[in-house]
Amino acid sequence: ASFKMTGVQDFPDIELPIITVSASLPGAAPAQLETEVARKIENAVAPLQGVKHIYTNILDGAVTINVEFILEKNAAEASNEVRDAVSQVRADLPGDMRDPVVSKATTSGKPILTYVVSAANTDALDEEAISWLVDNAITKRILAAQGVGRVARIGGVSREIRVELNTEKMTSLGVTAADVSQQLRRVQQEVPGGRGDVGGAEQAVRTIATVKTVADLSALEMPLADGRRIRLDQVATVTDTIAERRSLALDQDQPVIAFEVTRTKGASELAVAAQVRKAVAELSIAHPNLKIVEAIDNIWPVEENFSGSMYLLLEGALLAVIVVWYFLRDWRSTLVAATALPLSIFPTFLGMFYFGFTLNTVTLLALALVVGILVDDAIVEIENISRHMRMGKTPYQAAMEAADEIGLAVIATTFALIAVFLPTAFMSGIAGKFFKQFGWTAVFAIFASLLVARLLTPMMAAYIMKNKKHIGGDAKDKGIDKDSKMMTRYLGWVSWCIRHRNITAIASAIFFVGSLALIPLLPKGFVPAADRAQTIVNIELPPGSNLQETWDAAERARLVAMENKDVKHIFSSVGGGVSGDAFAKGVSAEARKAALTVTLTKRSDRVAHGSSQQDVEVELRKQLASQPGVRITVGPQDTGSKMQLVIQSGDPMTLQATARHLERDLRTLQGVGNVTSSASLVRPEIIVRPDFARAADMGVTATSIGETVRVATAGDYDQNLPKFNLSERQVPIRVKLPQATRADLAAIQRLQVPAKNGSVMLANIADVTMDSGPAQIDRLDRSRQITFDVELGVRELGD
C-alpha cells in the first residue's frame, strides 16, 4: 500500500533557504531601479540572521533579488523574515510599483508537459479567442487536476481596447495624453456608494459609470481640468484589438499558442502527467473546434528511469537468488534465503512513505545498491544451519543452535553496513539535501534484512529444510568441500598468503596506494551527464533588438539545427525566456531573447552511430557558431569549455574602467577564445532632460513630463488602466499615441505637456536626445559586479 501511495519523481524535492524578491516597474531603466528599489531592499534584508549572499539582477523594468541563507536556516522562517523586511521599506519604494513578490526557491518548478493549442479549422477561432480559452477554460480545468501547481501560457495575445490618440487634434484642443488617460480612468469605473435605507430596508449603493460597447466608449464625454469637455472620438480612435505582442511561440516554423504545466512540491510526476493527459482528453471532447497536441514531454525520461530501475531491481534479485542456488545447491535453502529479498525491500517502502520520500533517482539507486547485500544475513544463517544439520541435528535443533551461535556476527555485520550508509543522510551542503533520502532508504532496507535474518529465516529453516544423508565427521566437517576444485584452489591461495604474510601485506599496501593515486584522474561533477534526448538552445541578441529580429534569429538557428540528423523536433519560445518562465514570475520578458527546445531522437536510435546527447550538443555548437550578431549557448551552461571571472566594486565608474582593461588583457592571452562581458550590454535610450527654468516658468513638473511621455509611448501602468467589464473578465483600456510615434524622435518632441495655462510642447521645455545606458546590472552583496565568460581551448583547460 505504501508503494502505491509513494510518488515517482526525477529527483527528490528539496527546499533550499534561497528567497527570491521580485519587483516590477514597467519602463524604468536599470540604473533607476538600482537606486530606487534594489539598494533599499538589499539594505533591508542584509541584517537578517543567517544571510550568506545577496544576488541582484536588474533588467528593464524588473528587479530580482535572491537572498541566500546558510543551509541550516529554515526556509519558511527565512521567507517570513524577508517578507517582513521588505514590507518595512515598502513605503520608501516608488508608489507606482506593485508590491514586491517574495517566494521560496524549490526544485519542483520545471515544467513537466507543454501543449500546443490551435484551431481545428482555419475559420473556427482567431488567435485572441484561443488565447482566452487557454487562459480561462483550459487553465481552470488543468488546475483542477490533483498535483498541478501552475499553468502558464506561452505565446498568444491578450485582448485590449486601444484608444489611439490623434496628435493634431489634441494639439488644436490643447489636450495632453495624460489628461485623456486620467479623465478616462476617473469616468470609466464602478464606484461603491455606501448604504441606503429606502422603504425600511437596507440597500447597497453603487455608482456604475461603465459603458457596454466600444461605440459607447467612443462617444463618452469627459470633463477636462480647465472646465471644458470633449468626446473621446474627437481626439482618438477607439478599437477593440490586441495588446502589443511581446512574445511568440513556434512549433517548428508555425506560430502557435502553447501552455506548460508545472507540478506542486511533493507531487508524483507520473501521477500528475496522467491527470493532465486525462484533462486534456476531456478538453478535446468539450471543445471540438480546438486541437491540443503535446509538444514537449519531460515525463518520459522519468518514466523510463523508473521502469528501468524496477526492472533492474527484479533482475538483480533474480541473479542473487541464482547465485545463492549455485553455491547451496538446495532448493529448500535457496527458497529460505530468497524470501529475505522481498521481505527486506517491502518494509522499506513503509519507511519511505512515513518519512515523505518518493521513488526517485536517489532512492532507486539506494535500493539497487543494497539489493545484493539484503540476502547476506540470510545466507550466513542458512549456511550455518546447514552445517549443524550435517552434524546430524534435526532442522529445528540446528536452527536454534546455529542462529544462537552466529547471531552476534550477523548483528555486527548489519550495523557495520548501517554505520556506512547512515552518515550519508546527514551530509552537509546541497549534496546532503539529496542524499538524505539515499541514506535512510538504504538503512531501512538493511535493518529490515536483519529482522528477517534473525527471526524469519531460522523459523522457515526449522520447518522447511530437510536432513540430507549424513556424511559424518567432527566440527571441521571435512565432507563439505569434497570434489570441489574451486574450493581446493581457493584454500591453496589462502595457505600461500598465510605463509608469505609480508609479501601479502606489501602487495595489499601497493594496491591500496595505487587506488588512491587514481582518484585525481576521475572526472568530477554533481551528477553524471544525462541523455534525455532533449536539449535547450538559448539565443540572445544585443540590447535594443525587437521581437521580429529575435524571431528571425531564432528561425535561422532552427533551420541550421534541423540539418542535424539527430534532431527530431524544435519548439521555440521567442521573447519569453525559457518556456515562458519570465511570464510565470510576473517579470517583464525581454524581446531580445529566445529559447529553442530541441527534441532529439531516442537514445536507442542513436546507438547505431554512437552519438550521445553530449556529442549532439557539441555538433550543434559548431553548426550554430557561424550565426552573426547573436550569442548562442547549447545545453547546460557548464560545458567544461569556459571559466567565469567576477569583479566587484561599489564604484560603478571604477568598475567599468577596470572591466575594459581586464577584457583587453584577457584577449591577449594565448589559448583564450571568445571573451564576453556583462559590462558590454548597453541599450539605446531616449533621454528627456527638462530645462528647469523654462519648466518652472510654465508650471511644468518632471512628474507631468514623465507621465505624459509614458502614457503617449507605452500607455499607463497596468494597475492604473481603466477596465472594460465583460461577463467573465475585464479588458484593459490603453491610451497611447500611434505606433509610429515611438519611431519618430520629432514626434516625441512635439508631445503636449500639461502646464499652468493649458499645455506646452515638450521641445519647448526639455531636450530630447538619443543616448545609451546599461541593459543589465548585476549586484553581489550590495556591490556592483561584472562577469566575464572566457572560452578556453581544450589543451588549456588545466591552465
Side-chain angles (χ1 to χ4, degrees), residues 425-456:
F426 300 96
M427 289 171 57
S428 60
I430 295 179
K433 296 281 187 179
F434 284 93
F435 276 89
K436 175 184 178 181
Q437 296 194 18
F438 174 88
W440 280 113
T441 301
V443 167
F444 292 153
I446 293 171
F447 189 75
S449 73
L450 172 64
L451 295 179
V452 172
R454 296 298 298 134
L455 301 175
L456 188 68

Side-chain angles (χ1 to χ4, degrees), residues 749-767:
Q749 292 173 335
R750 292 193 299 268
L751 290 175
Q752 296 293 313
V753 181
K756 62 181 180 180
N757 296 320
S759 61
V760 62
M761 190 180 296
L762 180 61
N764 294 334
I765 56 170
D767 293 328

Side-chain angles (χ1 to χ4, degrees), residues 130-342:
I130 297 176
S131 299
W132 169 240
L133 275 173
V134 171
D135 293 339
N136 185 44
I138 293 178
T139 297
K140 285 195 295 188
R141 175 59 187 92
I142 293 181
L143 283 176
Q146 186 176 3
V148 175
R150 177 170 57 88
V151 179
R153 171 164 60 88
I154 312 173
V157 293
S158 299
R159 186 177 173 184
E160 180 179 275
I161 305 299
R162 179 83 52 83
V163 179
E164 197 166 273
L165 301 175
N166 187 306
T167 54
E168 288 78 10
K169 292 181 179 180
M170 289 175 59
T171 303
S172 64
L173 293 172
V175 180
T176 68
D179 287 338
V180 176
S181 180
Q182 291 173 2
Q183 292 302 323
L184 185 59
R185 184 169 68 247
R186 292 169 184 166
V187 172
Q188 166 68 19
Q189 63 175 310
E190 187 173 323
V191 185
R195 186 176 64 243
D197 295 308
V198 179
E202 188 175 283
Q203 302 93 18
V205 180
R206 290 190 300 158
T207 301
I208 301 178
T210 56
V211 295
K212 299 297 184 181
T213 64
V214 173
D216 293 340
L217 184 63
S218 300
L220 190 66
E221 295 196 3
M222 300 182 300
L224 298 179
D226 57 3
R228 294 178 299 157
R229 64 186 178 88
I230 60 169
R231 280 169 53 104
L232 188 58
D233 56 8
Q234 287 182 278
V235 293
T237 302
V238 183
T239 54
D240 188 349
T241 180
I242 60 174
E244 181 183 358
R245 192 188 298 273
R246 297 290 293 172
S247 68
L248 194 69
L250 299 102
D251 188 38
Q252 296 291 57
D253 60 340
Q254 296 298 317
V256 294
I257 301 166
F259 65 90
E260 60 185 13
V261 183
T262 305
R263 65 175 176 85
T264 58
K265 180 186 174 185
S268 170
E269 294 181 2
L270 296 188
V272 173
Q275 291 284 330
V276 171
R277 285 167 176 154
K278 178 182 177 182
V280 169
E282 294 176 358
L283 286 167
S284 298
I285 297 174
H287 299 276
N289 54 345
L290 288 181
K291 184 167 62 174
I292 307 176
V293 180
E294 192 173 291
I296 301 175
D297 181 9
N298 290 321
I299 289 298
W300 79 263
V302 182
E303 190 172 7
E304 184 185 47
N305 184 32
F306 174 71
S307 302
S309 297
M310 299 307 295
Y311 174 79
L312 293 175
L313 198 64
L314 294 173
E315 185 181 46
L318 180 62
L319 290 175
V321 171
I322 292 175
V323 170
V324 170
W325 177 85
Y326 178 79
F327 281 95
L328 296 181
R329 298 297 176 93
D330 179 16
W331 72 267
R332 295 176 181 271
S333 300
T334 303
L335 175 63
V336 175
T339 306
L341 274 172

Side-chain angles (χ1 to χ4, degrees), residues 128 321 358 424-425 514 526 571 674 685 692:
E128 190 279 325
V321 171
T358 58
T424 61
F526 184 60
F571 177 84
N674 189 30
E685 295 180 338
F692 294 106

